[in-house]
Structures are given as C-alpha cells and as structure tokens.
Amino acid sequence: MSGVGFHWDIANFAALQRRVDLLSHMDTRELMDGVGAEVASQWKRRIEFEKTTPQGVAWAPWSNRYKKTRTAGQSLLFSERHLWDSITHLLSLDGKEVDVGSNLIYARTQNKGRGKIPARQFAGLSSENKQDLREIANDWINQQLTGGLQ
C-alpha cells in the first residue's frame, strides 16, 4: 500500500500471545479482521470528528491563503471525504496479520507533513485506541475459550 499505513500482527498482543499460542489451532482471521476494522474506524473518527493527532494534539489550521479557497462547511482532511473513504484494512490469508491504510498519494503528506504542509497526523494509535484493541482481543479469546457461551 502506498501513501500512509499501519501494520499490526498477532504478536503485538504480547500479554495475550501466550493464550493464543496455547490455542494455536484457532483461526485468528475473525480477530484480526475486527482489529483492522477498529483501527480504520479510529482513524476515520479522528479525521471526521476529533481533528487531533493520536496523542490528542490539535491539527494545525488551514493557512489563511488556503482558507480563502474553501467554502463554509468544509473541514480539514474531510471536506470531500476522499481520504476518509480511502482508509481500509486488508487481512492476510492466514489471518495472522492485518494492514490498515490509505492508498492515496497525499495521505502520507497529510499525516507526516512536507515542506510548507504541516503534519495532520491521523494514522497511529492513542493509548485509548490500544486499549480498545486489547479489549477486542480479550473478548475474542474469551469467546473462543468458552465456545461462544457467554
């Protein structure tokens, strides 16, 4: 994927990895698909509503010159939804990895900044985002261990 991206694999759930290893016969595609969907959703919320970095720092506003080209109701990174619509996740065939990202050429520039364009980081995980992913993993593992009887 070109542009900007995020990669996560099952080993990133260190505390849960031991439990998963005990259950190595399990198909993790559902878990990793859920992780990918959640990360994509987190990034989209950041673009549409939060307008902050994963650490909670507000994005730089439009320059005065650029602001003059915008109409009422347009917002940073969300005005025509191209970036928002491009964020997706792709699951590996074995279900042990998921990639989240955008294939738009300008996604990396918006996320990291370049030249006179300030960074408006949307990709990445806040501590709250990471906690959400741990909860998804814990719920999935508990469901697997109880056979879905909860």
Side-chain angles (χ1 to χ4, degrees), residues 22-43:
L22 293 173
L23 307 167
S24 61
H25 67 281
M26 298 180 113
D27 183 350
T28 57
R29 285 181 285 204
E30 180 184 2
L31 167 62
M32 297 309 290
D33 188 48
V35 166
E38 178 61 22
V39 171
S41 177
Q42 291 167 346
W43 291 8

Side-chain angles (χ1 to χ4, degrees), residues 2-22:
S2 66
V4 63
F6 166 81
H7 177 84
W8 191 271
D9 66 46
I10 197 70
N12 289 95
F13 294 115
L16 302 174
Q17 182 65 48
R18 291 183 297 279
R19 290 173 74 185
V20 173
D21 287 343
L22 293 173

